[in-house]
């Protein structure tokens, strides 16, 4: 597929999970294609980075579900900040661990999973829909019931994939990309390089095959497709381009492509 | 000996007695140096990480790649470790109150913040499940506030697991005051109790006799200068303050 074809599958109002973490291995080629569509009112589910910032800046977002939005080496994401401070996006703010349990619940087709993370904090105050459950066992502990973060679409970027959708990470951290794929009705993978299935194990061991084709609705070959975020070991973060992104008005940055 | 050296040693002291758990410095260079210094001196069983997903077998200088890797801790395992509890994290905070509730999420009303910050990140889970300490490089009434705008990290009045230490550029504090409120433990060399009280925007528990924060030993200073931070990055985080 092409990035444009993937973007064409996304409808206004959908819930879109975006893999990676902060400004690391974000599927920026797919996000870029999504920016060029007329889609609106998306709910984004993300350990947020410039993916969230760009889609907010372009007016594509109704709600962000996230424990943070950051560019890592630049701590605060400027476009997300502006969207929050001007009140143009709704925000469901979760603890990082709660957020993972939401994806885990969706991946396992469970309505919720219990955790201690979030209890006692203002996450419970600002998300009044959150409920607690009491352990049915002897301890009787009260826990937060994190609702499943079920996704219409997941977008992830990995280092290698074959045409059928078996996808491989070669960097040190898988992030939560397989969970996004498992939590979604349809998952789309972009990759640095498409390879023959028989060549996948030439680049890394079998446990680097993070996502199975059974979960994947489409594959896009997109060299540099995580740029300017990092995609180790293929490339690190382009700090200069990221700085320009953070300092340039969005319209100007976007028009320069 | 610089103020930054005193701060690093005070952060290292927060990890004393922790044994074989992850000492995770998150809130800046001084916290990372504190964890690594503790491991190289009085707490050799500590686990430390490289800032990414590697558990380091050696103890590299700040910003340097480890030569020996002893484990793998990708983000998902970090989130596991938070719930499992074998971790003592030293976090930063934009606001902290007298019960140790902290905020890194936003300033002002959450629904329409005056300033959006990071988001709560892992602070709710960290403080509920693990020993947590804080490093505040600018001790001021803007940070030490009567009430935080968004509780990210839990205080003693909201079910914190254990708040160990709050280290600042002026002093060491803990939550050992009445009803779990903040107490002055020691003031750094060159800092008076009055300085700390003036820089704190809430009533601080001040014991009758407040000692001075321990000075770094010659061996600790050598480790900082020659092994852990030869480029002096800690000095950028803690400039010397005019008295």
């Amino acid at each position: 597929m092409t990035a444009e074809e993937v973007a064409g599958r996304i409808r206004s109002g959908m819930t879109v999970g975006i893999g990676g973490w902060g400004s690391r291995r974000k599927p920026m080629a797919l996000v870029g294609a999504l920016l060029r569509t007329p889609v609106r009112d998306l709910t984004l589910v993300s350990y947020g980075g410039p993916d969230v910032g760009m889609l907010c800046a372009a007016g594509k977002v109704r709600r962000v579900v996230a424990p943070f939005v950051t560019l890592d080496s630049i701590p605060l994401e400027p476009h997300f900040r502006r969207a929050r401070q001007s009140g143009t996006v709704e925000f469901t703010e979760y603890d990082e661990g709660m957020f993972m349990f939401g994806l885990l619940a969706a991946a396992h087709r469970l309505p919720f999973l219990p955790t201690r993370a979030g209890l006692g904090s203002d996450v419970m105050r600002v998300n009044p829909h959150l409920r607690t459950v009491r352990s049915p066992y002897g301890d009787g502990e009260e826990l937060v019931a994190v609702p499943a973060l079920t996704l219409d679409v997941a977008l992830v970027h990995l280092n290698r994939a074959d045409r059928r959708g078996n996808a491989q990470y070669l960097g040190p951290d898988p992030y939560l990309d397989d969970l996004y794929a498992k939590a979604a009705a349809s998952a789309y993978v972009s990759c640095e390089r498409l390879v023959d299935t028989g060549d996948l194990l030439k680049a890394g061991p079998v446990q680097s095959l993070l996502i199975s084709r059974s979960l994947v609705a489409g594959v896009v070959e997109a060299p540099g497709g995580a740029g300017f975020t990092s995609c180790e070991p293929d490339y690190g973060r382009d700090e200069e381009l990221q700085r320009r992104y953070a300092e340039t008005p969005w319209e100007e940055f976007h028009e320069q492509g | 000996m610089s103020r930054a050296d005193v701060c690093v040693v005070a952060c290292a002291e927060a990890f004393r007695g922790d044994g074989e758990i992850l000492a995770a410095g998150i809130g800046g260079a001084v916290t990372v140096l504190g964890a690594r210094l503790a491991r190289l001196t009085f707490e050799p069983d500590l686990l430390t990480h490289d800032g990414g997903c590697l558990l380091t077998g050696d103890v590299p200088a700040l910003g340097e790649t480890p030569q020996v890797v002893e484990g793998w801790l990708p983000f998902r395992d970090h989130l596991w470790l938070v719930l499992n509890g074998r971790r003592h994290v030293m976090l930063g905070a934009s606001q902290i109150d007298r019960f140790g509730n902290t905020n890194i999420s936003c300033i002002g009303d959450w629904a329409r913040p005056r300033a959006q910050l990071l988001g709560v990140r892992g602070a709710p889970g960290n403080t509920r499940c693990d020993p947590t300490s804080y490093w505040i490089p600018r001790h001021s009434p803007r940070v030490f506030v009567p009430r935080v705008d968004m509780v990210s990290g839990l205080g003693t009045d909201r079910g914190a697991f254990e708040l160990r230490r709050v280290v600042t550029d002026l002093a060491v504090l803990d939550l050992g005051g009445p009803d779990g409120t903040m107490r002055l433990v020691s003031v750094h060399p060159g800092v008076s109790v009055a300085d700390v009280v003036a820089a704190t925007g809430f009533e601080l528990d001040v014991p009758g006799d407040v000692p001075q924060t321990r000075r770094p030993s010659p061996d600790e200073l050598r480790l900082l200068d020659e092994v852990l931070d030869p480029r002096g990055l800690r000095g950028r985080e803690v400039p010397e303050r005019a008295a």
Side-chain angles (χ1 to χ4, degrees), chain A residues 21 24 47 66-70 72 75-76 80-82 84-87 89 91-97 100-101 115-123 125-127 141-142 169 172-179 210, chain B residues 51-54 72-77 79-80 82-84 101 104-106 108-129 147-155 158-159:
Chain A
W21 179 286
R24 306 165 203 226
Y47 286 103
F68 57 76
V69 183
T70 181
D72 292 331
L76 305 182
F80 175 69
R81 293 195 89 190
R82 197 164 297 118
R84 279 281 287 148
Q85 291 165 200
S86 61
V89 295
F91 189 27
T92 301
E93 185 166 5
Y94 279 179
D95 165 88
E96 290 171 2
M100 179 173 76
F101 272 43
T115 181
R116 295 190 185 98
L119 287 173
S121 76
D122 272 342
V123 165
R125 171 174 67 85
V126 302
N127 295 304
E141 183 175 354
E142 190 179 42
Y169 79 108
D173 201 315
Y175 308 118
L176 288 298
D177 284 4
D178 50 323
L179 277 184
L210 189 64
Chain B
C53 61
L54 303 180
W72 181 52
L73 195 73
F75 283 115
R76 59 179 65 194
D77 272 337
L79 300 177
W80 159 78
V82 166
L83 286 176
N84 184 272
N101 293 292
I104 53 172
S105 172
C106 66
D109 178 19
W110 181 87
R112 177 85 184 261
R114 198 160 66 246
Q116 174 66 38
L117 305 176
L118 284 172
V120 295
R121 297 219 63 150
N126 286 318
T127 49
R128 183 77 180 198
C129 304
R147 195 164 175 278
V148 305
D149 292 338
M150 166 86 183
V151 175
S152 311
L154 309 184
R158 284 172 169 259

Side-chain angles (χ1 to χ4, degrees), chain A residues 12-245:
Chain A
S12 290
M14 277 188 169
T15 296
V16 180
I18 304 180
W21 179 286
S23 191
R24 306 165 203 226
R25 216 174 69 214
K26 285 291 178 178
M28 298 305 282
L30 299 180
V31 169
L34 189 52
L35 287 171
R36 295 188 288 272
T37 69
V39 162
R40 298 183 60 83
D41 291 331
L42 298 175
T43 292
L44 299 184
V45 176
S46 178
Y47 286 103
D51 51 330
V52 172
M54 286 184 183
L55 289 164
C56 284
K60 303 284 183 203
V61 183
R62 181 169 60 201
R63 175 177 297 277
V64 174
V65 183
F68 57 76
V69 183
T70 181
L71 301 174
D72 292 331
S73 53
I74 299 172
L76 305 182
E77 215 296 341
H79 303 300
F80 175 69
R81 293 195 89 190
R82 197 164 297 118
R84 279 281 287 148
Q85 291 165 200
S86 61
T88 53
V89 295
E90 297 170 38
F91 189 27
T92 301
E93 185 166 5
Y94 279 179
D95 165 88
E96 290 171 2
M98 285 177 81
F99 184 98
M100 179 173 76
F101 272 43
L103 290 178
L104 274 169
H108 292 84
R109 305 284 189 262
L110 289 167
F112 70 91
L113 278 171
T115 181
R116 295 190 185 98
L119 287 173
S121 76
D122 272 342
V123 165
M124 305 302 285
R125 171 174 67 85
V126 302
N127 295 304
H129 66 278
L130 287 172
R131 297 285 177 263
T132 58
V133 289
R134 196 166 288 284
S135 163
Y137 298 104
D139 56 285
E141 183 175 354
E142 190 179 42
L143 300 158
V144 58
V146 186
L149 285 171
T150 303
L151 311 172
D152 294 310
V153 172
L155 305 177
V156 298
H157 183 80
L158 279 81
N159 301 89
R160 303 286 179 268
D162 68 14
R163 288 176 193 286
R164 306 174 78 182
N166 297 299
Q168 179 180 41
Y169 79 108
L170 299 174
D173 201 315
Y175 308 118
L176 288 298
D177 284 4
D178 50 323
L179 277 184
Y180 285 92
K182 289 167 180 163
S186 305
Y188 297 92
V189 175
S190 60
C191 64
E192 287 297 311
R193 191 141 60 83
L194 271 178
V195 296
D196 289 335
T197 306
D199 288 338
L200 283 167
L201 292 190
K202 290 180 180 169
V206 69
Q207 59 267 37
S208 65
L209 298 175
L210 189 64
I211 298 177
S212 156
R213 63 185 169 82
S214 67
L215 300 168
V216 175
V219 181
V220 177
E221 184 173 43
F228 51 85
T229 74
S230 62
C231 186
E232 294 178 24
D234 290 309
Y235 45 87
R237 186 179 303 125
D238 185 338
E239 298 287 358
E240 193 179 323
L241 185 53
Q242 174 161 290
R243 203 173 311 118
R244 192 148 64 74
Y245 162 73

Side-chain angles (χ1 to χ4, degrees), chain B:
Chain B
M1 178 196 77
S2 68
R3 178 69 59 82
D5 297 330
V6 172
C7 293
V8 170
V9 169
C11 288
E13 282 290 342
F15 297 107
R16 188 182 284 276
D18 275 341
E20 202 165 17
I21 67 169
L22 179 68
I26 303 285
V30 166
T31 66
V32 175
L33 288 170
R36 292 183 186 180
L37 184 64
R39 179 172 173 176
L40 281 182
T41 53
F42 52 79
E43 209 54 42
D45 287 342
L46 284 177
L47 284 79
T48 53
H49 65 84
D50 71 337
C53 61
L54 303 180
L55 295 174
T56 60
D58 58 351
V59 186
L62 209 57
E64 297 296 319
T65 309
Q67 299 301 305
V68 183
V69 172
E70 67 171 348
W72 181 52
L73 195 73
F75 283 115
R76 59 179 65 194
D77 272 337
H78 234 117
L79 300 177
W80 159 78
L81 188 58
V82 166
L83 286 176
N84 184 272
R86 263 192 285 271
R87 178 173 187 260
H88 176 181
V89 67
M90 189 163 240
L91 300 172
S94 302
Q95 294 177 323
I96 187 166
D97 72 14
R98 61 197 293 253
F99 293 102
N101 293 292
T102 57
N103 175 22
I104 53 172
S105 172
C106 66
I107 301 297
D109 178 19
W110 181 87
R112 177 85 184 261
R114 198 160 66 246
Q116 174 66 38
L117 305 176
L118 284 172
V120 295
R121 297 219 63 150
N126 286 318
T127 49
R128 183 77 180 198
C129 304
D130 301 274
T132 303
S133 293
Y134 288 97
W135 158 240
I136 313 276
R138 295 278 178 282
H139 193 139
S140 82
R142 284 177 53 125
V143 180
F144 287 75
V145 294
R147 195 164 175 278
V148 305
D149 292 338
M150 166 86 183
V151 175
S152 311
L154 309 184
T156 53
D157 59 340
R158 284 172 169 259
F161 177 82
E162 181 193 352
L163 299 182
R164 191 78 60 82
R165 285 284 162 105
V166 180
V167 179
T168 78
D169 58 335
L170 299 182
V172 178
L173 309 108
D174 68 11
L175 281 301
D179 302 319
T181 53
M182 203 174 288
R183 175 175 70 176
L184 186 55
V185 171
S186 66
V187 290
H188 299 340
V191 179
S192 71
V193 171
D195 293 336
V196 178
V197 169
T200 304
F202 52 77
E203 194 187 338
L204 191 60
D205 183 49
V206 181
D209 185 27
V210 179
Q212 205 172 74
T213 308
R214 173 167 91 71
R215 290 167 180 265
S217 70
D219 186 45
E220 287 168 334
L221 286 177
R222 183 191 60 77
L223 285 169
L224 284 174
D225 285 335
E226 295 175 16
V227 179
L228 292 175
D229 187 23
R231 289 187 291 156
L233 296 173
R234 62 195 184 281
R236 282 192 223 163
E237 203 166 291
V238 192
E240 300 296 315
R241 269 209 197 193

